[in-house]
Amino acid sequence: MARTGESKEEIKSKMISYYPDLADMSIAKLKASGYGLDELGNWVTCQGSVPQAICAFIESTSFEDAIRKAISLGADSDTQAAITGSIAEAYYGLTYYDEDKVMPYLPEDLQTSILPLI
């Protein structure tokens, strides 16, 4: 839906049919709730990160903002950022500017190993 030009409202509406909690979810509410533990008191796993990742995308204003929002939640932040980033890339696109901005933060060995992929 993000890749085919659907609005965030349409995406959220569709995702609520899979994740009903998304209807009343916000980044602010998640942070205030102490998000990070599931109902059994265990750290949230990838299955428990999907609605939060979608929420981070829905509330974002850019690709970078989406990633920052996902990471700011903590808990399973690498999974949330990966999911959010995938949706955000489809919606906003990814420019060379974004790649140039990220590369300085990566260790040199990682930069050289991913250069052929870019």
Side-chain angles (χ1 to χ4, degrees):
M1 293 177 74
R3 194 166 305 285
T4 60
E6 302 292 331
S7 71
K8 287 184 181 181
E9 293 78 23
E10 292 167 317
I11 294 168
K12 182 176 181 178
S13 178
K14 179 67 173 179
M15 293 300 103
I16 288 170
S17 68
Y18 297 104
Y19 306 103
D21 291 345
L22 187 59
D24 192 41
M25 189 177 291
S26 74
I27 298 295
K29 287 179 183 178
L30 287 167
K31 288 182 179 181
S33 73
Y35 168 71
L37 301 176
D38 66 14
E39 60 278 353
L40 301 175
N42 300 313
W43 280 107
V44 174
T45 61
C46 58
Q47 295 89 340
S49 298
V50 175
Q52 293 77 9
I54 296 168
C55 180
F57 161 71
I58 296 295
E59 291 188 23
S60 70
T61 57
S62 68
F63 177 81
E64 181 179 345
D65 185 52
I67 298 294
R68 288 180 181 274
K69 283 182 176 6
I71 292 171
S72 76
L73 292 173
D76 194 15
S77 59
D78 59 330
T79 301
Q80 288 162 185
I83 296 167
T84 302
S86 297
I87 302 168
E89 184 278 330
Y91 189 83
Y92 298 113
L94 184 62
T95 66
Y96 286 107
Y97 168 77
D98 297 320
E99 293 166 5
D100 292 341
K101 195 172 182 182
V102 169
M103 292 301 277
Y105 291 98
L106 299 176
E108 191 171 319
D109 63 324
L110 188 54
Q111 288 183 36
T112 57
S113 68
I114 67 168
L115 281 177
L117 303 174
I118 297 176

